Amino acid sequence: MRRFLYGSNLLTYKSMSHLLTVQNLLELQAQTEAEEIMGANPVIGLLGGGQLGRMLCEAANPLGIDIAILDERNSPAKQAHETNRHVTGSFKDPARIRELASRSDYLSVEIEHVDTEVLEDIEKNGVDIELADGSTVTHRPPIHPSWRTLRLIQDKYLQKEHFRTSEQKIPIAEHMAIESGEATLDSLEEAADKFGFPFMLKARKGSYDGRGNFKVSSGKDIEPAINALGKLPLYAEKWAPFVKELAVMVIRTENDEGELTGCVAYPAVETIHEDSICTKVFMPPREVSDEVCEEARELACSVVSTLWGRGVFAVEMFLLEDNSLMVNEVAPRPHNSGHYTIEAIPAMSQYKAQIHAVLDLPIPKKLIPRVPAAIMLNILGGAAPNSHHKLTRLARSTYDDDMDVHLHLYGKESKPGRKIGHITLTGFSSLDELEQKAEPFIKLVDEIRQGRIDAAAEVLRPKQEEPSIPSIDGMSVEREPIAKAIFDSHNAAPVPERTRSGAASRTRSAAASRTRSGAASRTRSGAASRTISAASVKAPTPKPVNDGIQPGQIQNGVHSEDDDDDVAEDKPLVLVTMGSDSDLPVLKAGLDILKEFNVPYALDITSAHRTPKYMMRVADEAAGKGIKVIIAAAGGAAHLPGMISSETPLPVIGVPVKATHLDGLDSLLSIVQMPRGVPTATVGINNSTNAALLAIRILGTIIPDYQSAMKKYQLDMEEAVIEKGTKLRTAGDVEYLANMKAKA
């Protein structure tokens, strides 16, 4: 029996079957009568309200299905669907998730990076609902896809292990877990012996679109790889050269007992990724045989059959040089690669399919496109807020006898690289002919991308740049070797997990998360990836993505998806600056903390004495660039933190650096003794760790996920101290000290 919730009342009736037997008709009649009495339809509670949720709502509205969204106010999905059941807050907040469950007949997700422990508890124990008469009932809304699937997908290593050990014989890249701590080096050397060079080092959790990956091309890359990713749970993967990336959407159905009842595959498509983001999708794939496309559909069904729950799933895979296929990863939700289905398969788009699957409504046995060719182009924010306007004007004004143009805008503010819409072009002839007709659209998409690349180095730069390498009496100042090593290890600013409101971490570390093997590992352009010289912060010019990751290239951070929606919204929130690159070794501990918390940051050198005008411009423009907190390190006279504080409305945290004389006391007193009206927070001498933690606490006042992460950090510290106390009481001082010396 199926139970539906309507306001404060409960209604129970059997779900519809796929065949209209007499019994089915009786049940359908009873359902119709009940809905007429209650005046409502089933409610799907959705964790996440970005563009995927928006298009889900657009599919649900004509069906009369209510979608209750848990996300921030005015999120894209909430703009597309009005209901009094929406919940405002983070979809990582257990209390808000339970509130959503109490308002919904079913729960589903538009992003996999959610709290699966809460979902598991809701499935097992339900949520209590108070009825109008004051009585309480326990409500257990079915959760699709299952929390088991979501938990598995969140850990890429466990996902690969699941596929490796399944009875379906799913082809995946060879892989192995990497030990943590002191054993990391030996473990990486073992991976090199096993896989040879190059191989991929990947973060197990939180990575997406190539971030959290490190291409290890030789033994020289092992130490930089540890510096870049060593604090994260890792696994290594054998390099997988490929010629194309394919994707297949699959509808998975099961009965109320969790038994698989069917998997139906959409057509295979070709996906193009540039700068870590999907930019184009082609249906059918170009220069790929029908036989390979059918094999891809069969493989995708095999993959999805091993998972749990109902819904649509995206299976991303590589086409190798020998025409064989290799599964990369799975997204348990609607996906960027399936947007084309809205127009190409209108009777059962991926969004309508998600609704039908979750509610256990009929699903067709075959999914046949109504057009022979389709191209989907993502509209990504350009260098300027209006960079995409020419493209959208073209979409609104183009009519062709042999090509239909379908524009979708997501109601989101344009930011560089952010997914703000897409265009689907459908044709009534071949894909080659459609691609020719679509050339003006593709050209504009590429022009917008080039504009982002050209402007990427300007994200945090003053309008009038100073020389990238400072000079004294005409002689270039070279970085000290230790400082250079740290600069190089931090040349990519981490990306936080995002809320769809654009600020908070989604730990969304976001993903579809896409960790790519081989050349699919992406180089991210823009604010999140920057190399630093002695006096400037510049993003490297991205190379064409299809030629793979360069040796030693890193991409850090977390997110969801492909989607997703805030992929390029990861502008730096913290500016870390110093008076000299000799201060950088002191700042390394703080930078590691920011990486641990997935806080995006930018690095710079702004000497209060050598480059005062440059320093003042950076301070003055920081707030306008999205910076929320500034950490400034200085030694000796240590005027930098106070001078920056005098030029910015942002909170400034000073780090006194121990200089040659006075053991850093001069630096400490200089920063802490600022005059009234110029507040400058000050931490202990050389204590960049506390500076970073304080910055995160400040961010936590406006971004709840950082506050939650800080609470967990504090609990972990408490547990660590308690554990040490227990060991000391058990072992005694002599054995405990001996163990300490052995570890040292």
Side-chain angles (χ1 to χ4, degrees):
M1 302 291 286
R2 182 80 62 215
R3 174 169 292 189
F4 287 93
L5 173 69
Y6 298 106
S8 60
N9 300 291
L10 290 173
L11 175 69
T12 302
Y13 60 86
K14 289 185 177 180
S15 62
M16 292 190 298
S17 176
H18 292 200
L19 299 177
L20 289 176
T21 63
V22 173
Q23 180 64 32
N24 297 143
L25 289 172
L26 291 174
E27 291 176 357
L28 182 59
Q29 181 180 356
Q31 173 182 333
T32 303
E33 292 173 352
E35 290 179 354
E36 289 176 352
I37 294 172
M38 305 309 300
N41 273 330
V43 180
I44 298 176
L46 189 67
L47 278 68
Q51 67 258 28
L52 300 183
R54 180 187 181 98
M55 287 180 274
L56 187 75
C57 289
E58 290 170 348
N61 289 339
L63 303 176
I65 304 298
D66 200 4
I67 308 291
I69 306 294
L70 170 55
D71 210 328
E72 302 303 323
R73 295 184 187 277
N74 202 40
S75 63
K78 289 183 179 180
Q79 297 172 27
H81 183 74
E82 289 289 339
T83 179
N84 58 6
R85 291 186 171 88
H86 288 325
V87 178
T88 299
S90 169
F91 52 74
K92 297 175 68 66
D93 185 334
R96 300 285 78 78
I97 295 174
R98 294 181 188 280
E99 181 181 352
L100 180 71
S102 71
R103 301 182 180 192
S104 307
D105 299 309
Y106 294 82
L107 286 180
S108 190
V109 300
E110 71 139 21
I111 179 172
E112 54 268 42
H113 297 284
V114 297
D115 189 335
T116 59
E117 292 182 1
V118 176
L119 295 179
E120 180 182 7
D121 183 67
I122 291 173
E123 179 183 271
K124 294 179 178 179
N125 303 312
V127 292
D128 292 334
I129 300 175
E130 184 177 348
L131 302 182
D133 60 2
S135 62
T136 301
V137 297
T138 299
H139 177 51
R140 293 184 177 86
I143 301 168
H144 295 289
S146 167
W147 57 266
R148 294 177 65 195
T149 292
L150 298 173
R151 186 174 295 171
L152 176 71
I153 297 300
Q154 288 173 358
D155 188 320
K156 294 184 181 298
Y157 175 74
L158 293 182
Q159 181 185 155
K160 292 290 176 71
E161 280 293 284
H162 170 79
F163 295 144
R164 182 183 67 83
T165 57
S166 75
E167 297 178 355
Q168 297 295 332
K169 298 181 179 179
I170 296 168
I172 56 173
E174 291 184 59
H175 58 277
M176 61 174 282
I178 297 297
E179 300 294 329
S180 60
E182 296 178 356
T184 301
L185 178 59
D186 291 340
S187 191
L188 281 175
E189 290 176 346
E190 180 184 348
D193 291 339
K194 182 176 182 178
F195 302 138
F197 294 111
F199 68 88
M200 293 300 300
L201 181 63
K202 297 185 174 185
R204 291 175 57 159
K205 293 186 175 183
S207 55
Y208 73 106
D209 282 350
R211 279 170 288 275
N213 293 351
F214 197 112
K215 179 185 176 184
V216 182
S217 296
S218 69
K220 295 179 180 179
D221 291 330
I222 290 179
E223 185 174 351
I226 294 175
N227 291 336
L229 302 177
K231 291 184 177 293
L232 303 172
L234 302 171
Y235 74 104
E237 192 169 85
K238 186 176 181 179
W239 183 264
F242 63 91
V243 294
K244 282 186 185 293
E245 294 181 80
L246 304 181
V248 177
M249 300 301 303
V250 176
I251 310 171
R252 188 185 192 279
T253 57
E254 65 180 28
N255 59 26
D256 290 343
E257 287 70 46
E259 298 170 334
L260 177 69
T261 57
C263 284
V264 183
Y266 285 87
V269 298
E270 176 188 357
T271 58
I272 304 297
H273 296 84
E274 298 168 304
D275 312 328
S276 306
I277 305 174
C278 177
T279 59
K280 306 174 185 74
V281 173
F282 295 87
M283 189 283 296
R286 297 168 298 178
E287 300 177 356
V288 178
S289 68
D290 293 343
E291 291 75 16
V292 170
C293 288
E294 186 58 32
E295 288 176 15
R297 296 174 74 243
E298 293 175 358
L299 175 57
C301 285
S302 297
V303 169
V304 173
S305 70
T306 70
L307 302 174
W308 307 273
R310 300 195 292 263
V312 297
F313 296 74
V315 181
E316 298 180 274
M317 57 188 77
F318 300 130
L319 177 62
L320 305 182
E321 295 173 346
D322 61 358
N323 264 357
S324 64
L325 297 167
M326 176 180 290
V327 172
N328 183 26
E329 62 189 38
V330 174
R333 50 167 170 72
H335 192 263
N336 201 169
S337 64
H339 291 347
Y340 78 97
T341 62
I342 298 173
E343 286 81 28
I345 312 177
M348 190 56 65
S349 72
Q350 66 166 340
Y351 298 101
K352 186 176 180 181
Q354 177 76 350
I355 295 167
H356 274 235
V358 169
L359 298 181
D360 201 18
L361 298 175
I363 298 293
K365 294 182 179 180
K366 291 184 178 180
L367 296 166
I368 302 174
R370 295 304 186 248
V371 291
I375 298 173
M376 193 284 300
L377 305 174
N378 270 330
I379 303 175
L380 305 177
N386 63 350
S387 296
H388 65 287
H389 287 182
K390 187 175 180 181
L391 176 60
T392 56
R393 284 197 298 269
L394 179 64
R396 291 189 180 106
S397 60
T398 298
Y399 298 93
D400 190 287
D401 291 342
D402 298 315
M403 178 180 71
D404 288 341
V405 180
H406 306 274
L407 173 64
H408 297 259
L409 293 176
Y410 304 149
K412 295 163 59 176
E413 179 186 358
S414 176
K415 297 182 180 181
R418 190 187 197 194
K419 291 176 181 175
I420 57 177
H422 74 268
I423 297 170
T424 298
L425 308 162
T426 56
F428 304 100
S429 53
S430 69
L431 181 62
D432 287 342
E433 291 175 302
L434 177 61
E435 190 172 2
Q436 291 175 11
K437 286 184 173 292
E439 185 177 354
F441 293 89
I442 296 173
K443 182 179 179 181
L444 285 176
V445 168
D446 292 341
E447 286 179 1
I448 294 171
R449 174 180 176 247
Q450 189 59 49
R452 286 195 306 272
I453 293 173
D454 293 342
E458 302 299 323
V459 175
L460 269 179
R461 298 293 301 155
K463 295 177 182 178
Q464 182 180 350
E465 295 188 11
E466 305 229 351
S468 61
I469 302 293
S471 61
I472 301 176
D473 297 331
M475 297 181 62
S476 296
V477 177
E478 298 294 336
R479 296 196 294 246
E480 296 178 4
I482 185 171
K484 182 181 186 301
I486 299 171
F487 267 114
D488 293 342
S489 72
H490 290 280
N491 69 347
V495 181
E497 301 162 331
R498 290 283 185 184
T499 62
R500 304 216 181 250
S501 63
S505 138
R506 290 194 171 183
T507 318
R508 203 178 165 215
S509 17
S513 20
R514 179 181 291 104
T515 301
R516 299 200 173 279
S517 174
S521 251
R522 305 294 177 197
T523 304
R524 179 172 185 79
S525 66
S529 177
R530 42 185 85 256
T531 53
I532 182 163
S533 65
S536 68
V537 180
K538 283 192 174 183
T541 301
K543 297 184 178 181
V545 294
N546 288 335
D547 60 5
I549 296 182
Q550 301 305 311
Q553 176 181 309
I554 64 171
Q555 294 293 342
N556 297 321
V558 286
H559 189 302
S560 124
E561 176 5 18
D562 112 303
D563 311 272
D564 110 31
D565 60 335
D566 296 324
V567 169
E569 206 172 298
D570 31 20
K571 290 184 178 180
L573 297 176
V574 177
L575 170 60
V576 182
T577 187
M578 62 215 80
S580 167
D581 60 359
S582 62
D583 301 329
L584 187 56
V586 171
L587 286 169
K588 184 180 185 302
L591 297 175
D592 289 341
I593 290 290
L594 294 177
K595 282 191 173 183
E596 181 179 344
F597 279 80
N598 299 305
V599 176
Y601 62 84
L603 290 168
D604 207 347
I605 297 175
T606 52
S607 172
H609 303 118
R610 300 181 184 91
T611 58
K613 294 178 182 179
Y614 174 77
M615 174 209 68
M616 288 190 288
R617 286 199 300 274
V618 169
D620 180 59
E621 295 178 7
K625 300 295 186 181
I627 295 295
K628 305 301 181 186
V629 187
I630 298 176
I631 297 174
H639 291 154
L640 178 63
M643 290 298 293
I644 286 183
S645 183
S646 70
E647 293 290 331
T648 181
L650 299 173
V652 177
I653 304 169
V655 180
V657 175
K658 180 179 178 180
T660 306
H661 307 290
L662 302 180
D663 292 327
L665 285 175
D666 51 347
S667 309
L668 173 64
L669 294 174
S670 176
I671 300 172
V672 80
Q673 289 285 47
M674 288 301 298
R676 290 178 179 86
V678 189
T680 307
T682 313
V683 296
I685 298 169
N686 281 10
N687 196 345
S688 65
T689 296
N690 274 0
L693 291 171
L694 178 56
I696 294 165
R697 291 191 179 196
I698 293 172
L699 292 175
T701 63
I702 56 173
I703 304 174
D705 283 351
Y706 286 132
Q707 190 174 97
S708 299
M710 180 57 67
K711 290 179 180 177
K712 184 179 184 302
Y713 178 85
Q714 291 174 297
L715 288 173
D716 290 345
M717 282 198 302
E718 179 184 14
E719 291 174 1
V721 173
I722 291 173
E723 182 181 355
K724 288 180 180 179
T726 301
K727 289 181 179 179
L728 177 59
R729 291 191 298 272
T730 303
D733 59 322
V734 175
E735 182 179 343
Y736 193 91
L737 285 169
N739 289 335
M740 290 179 65
K741 291 179 180 178
K743 290 180 180 179

